[in-house]
Amino acid sequence: MFHNTCGRKGRFARTIGMALAVSITMSGCSTISDWFADEEELEIRRLKPIEAKFTPELVWDRDIGDGVDHYFSRLRPVYAYDKLFAADRHGAVVAMEPETGKVLWQKDFAQFRSEGMMSSITKLWQNGETARIGGISVADRHVFIGTENGYIAAMDAETGELVWEATVPGEILAAPAADEGILVVNTGAGSLFGFNTRTGEQMWRHEGDTPPLTLRGISGPIASNGGVIVGTPTGKIQVNLIETGVLAWETVIGTPSGATELERIVDVDTTPVLYGGIIYTVSYNGTLAAVELRSGRVIWKREYASFRNLNIDGNSIFVVDNNSNVYALDRRNGVELWSQGLLKQRSLTAATPVGEHIVVGDNWGFLHWIEQESGEVVARLDVGGDDEDDAIFAAPLNVNGNIIAVTRNGEVVSVRTPN
């Protein structure tokens, strides 16, 4: 866990080992961890120089818990009701002021074994059993979390008070979605559930299919216009009626091919994007598609493979593929506008539009700004100390023009882009 001595440290308080590492003189901005990397890894890790057009500014940073460590996770902060809501995998859920990072309330869902009279004392030095939070969302004045244990909790967005809780069979690995007073939860078992957002009463359940081998992840549902849109591990996009859960239609996006189950993975693991009555989605095995919401008719398809979410700004779709190449396409016809391979293999997050740029995070804690018009990388900022333990694993969040990013170690940062 040694940081690059030429960049900003991802945290201000580190271990004694960190302090010793910083005291060692190193040349060429290399790190001690470089000594144990092969040439191919070093080629990926060493950033190629860019012609920076501006310098992003760190506004604040705050630790909110233990982060997600090295587990697969799509935990991403949410902005709503003038508050920033974030969670760590272990069980911490916090509400913060987006301007300062000040914690307004905090709730811990980690579980502790009862030890009688000593329980309150042992909690002071024990972390408890992890809650394994997999997704967080905000709607209807509530904050909702879902966990890999199949646990769902609803909290009051203003106070953090627990309002209701429920359980489902199956892992929750993506944020729930809500509309018309119904919370929709997708599970790794292939089932969708609908709950009353106010009471937690289960309203319906829809069973889906799961192939023998799937990716570690599920599509986050989106709820809009009386329907629930979700990708499936069988390579489809489906729409269910939000009131009853009844399937309205489904359309094949990715078709299995190959001799082995591994080659035949076709998961649509991304959260669909609904824009102007058109659903945009991408499959792991290489199909990016635009689908008509009302009918399920495929308008166009292109060959791009990704498990990261798409983002749209104006008439441009931004795609980060399985190899961390970044693309911009015309959303109306799928024509490629530009491609950017400078950050290839750096395990980029999905791209977040911010003003005239898109922003991605990477596996060593860097944020990169890419011009929407040209695809040129024009700025970067080290928020994780060039350390994989402080990788940025989820897409940055745009809050009033500032970038909110979270690292694997649970550090939340706010970054301003100069005008």
Side-chain angles (χ1 to χ4, degrees), residues 165-363:
E165 54 190 351
T167 58
V168 295
E171 295 181 302
I172 302 171
L173 298 168
D179 192 36
E180 299 184 7
I182 295 179
L183 179 76
V184 181
V185 178
N186 192 17
T187 71
S191 300
L192 278 177
F193 294 85
F195 293 88
N196 184 297
T197 57
R198 292 286 177 176
T199 67
E201 177 190 0
Q202 183 177 318
M203 309 297 290
W204 52 260
R205 174 176 179 171
H206 175 81
E207 298 289 351
D209 298 325
T210 54
L213 188 63
T214 65
L215 296 178
R216 175 64 174 167
I218 56 176
S219 171
I222 59 172
S224 180
N225 299 316
V228 180
I229 310 165
V230 68
T232 76
T234 54
K236 300 174 183 176
I237 279 289
Q238 71 180 44
V239 173
N240 297 70
L241 302 180
I242 196 166
E243 188 175 345
T244 62
V246 172
L247 182 67
W249 58 256
E250 60 182 10
T251 296
V252 174
I253 301 299
T255 304
S257 62
T260 68
E261 292 297 340
L262 184 63
E263 293 171 329
R264 294 174 64 81
I265 292 177
V266 293
D267 297 48
V268 177
D269 256 11
T270 58
T271 300
V273 177
L274 179 62
Y275 191 101
I278 307 297
I279 302 167
Y280 299 89
T281 191
V282 63
S283 72
Y284 175 77
N285 76 332
T287 305
L288 170 67
V291 180
E292 191 174 63
L293 173 62
R294 289 187 176 275
S295 65
R297 179 180 65 90
V298 176
I299 299 171
W300 54 257
K301 284 186 178 182
R302 298 291 181 267
E303 293 185 5
Y304 294 88
S306 184
F307 58 90
R308 298 172 178 88
N309 288 342
L310 307 172
N311 272 296
I312 293 180
D313 195 12
N315 287 325
S316 296
I317 305 175
F318 301 103
V319 182
V320 178
D321 74 6
N322 292 336
N323 294 315
S324 290
N325 296 299
V326 186
Y327 302 90
L329 296 88
D330 190 316
R331 70 170 182 83
R332 296 165 294 189
N333 51 32
V335 171
E336 186 175 304
L337 304 174
W338 53 256
S339 64
Q340 174 55 262
L342 195 65
L343 305 172
K344 186 176 181 179
Q345 303 297 348
R346 289 186 65 87
S347 298
L348 298 184
T349 67
T352 299
V354 183
E356 297 178 352
H357 305 91
I358 55 173
V359 182
V360 295
D362 74 17
N363 196 49

Side-chain angles (χ1 to χ4, degrees), residues 46-205:
R46 290 171 179 165
L47 284 166
K48 295 175 177 61
I50 62 171
E51 186 176 339
K53 295 188 177 181
F54 56 86
T55 302
E57 173 191 354
L58 180 70
V59 180
W60 56 260
D61 62 353
R62 177 173 295 280
D63 289 343
I64 62 162
D66 296 328
V68 300
D69 198 18
H70 288 92
Y71 292 96
F72 169 86
S73 180
R74 283 183 169 153
L75 265 179
R76 185 176 184 239
V78 181
Y79 175 67
Y81 311 130
D82 298 321
K83 297 179 181 64
L84 183 66
F85 301 93
D88 80 339
R89 184 177 185 273
H90 193 73
V93 180
V94 299
M96 296 177 283
E97 287 183 350
E99 297 83 9
T100 64
K102 176 185 175 183
V103 173
L104 301 173
W105 58 255
Q106 179 169 348
K107 191 168 184 63
D108 190 358
F109 285 89
Q111 298 176 358
F112 294 86
R113 292 188 180 91
S114 177
E115 298 182 17
M117 295 177 61
M118 297 296 291
S119 290
S120 59
I121 298 175
T122 56
K123 283 184 182 181
L124 296 176
W125 68 82
Q126 290 181 355
N127 289 327
E129 183 179 343
T130 176
R132 300 166 70 195
I133 296 177
I136 180 172
S137 63
V138 181
D140 206 8
R141 295 288 169 180
H142 288 71
V143 180
F144 303 99
I145 62 163
T147 79
E148 296 171 35
N149 299 321
Y151 172 76
I152 305 161
M155 291 155 280
D156 185 285
E158 192 64 31
T159 64
E161 179 185 358
L162 182 66
V163 178
W164 58 261
E165 54 190 351
T167 58
V168 295
E171 295 181 302
I172 302 171
L173 298 168
D179 192 36
E180 299 184 7
I182 295 179
L183 179 76
V184 181
V185 178
N186 192 17
T187 71
S191 300
L192 278 177
F193 294 85
F195 293 88
N196 184 297
T197 57
R198 292 286 177 176
T199 67
E201 177 190 0
Q202 183 177 318
M203 309 297 290
W204 52 260
R205 174 176 179 171

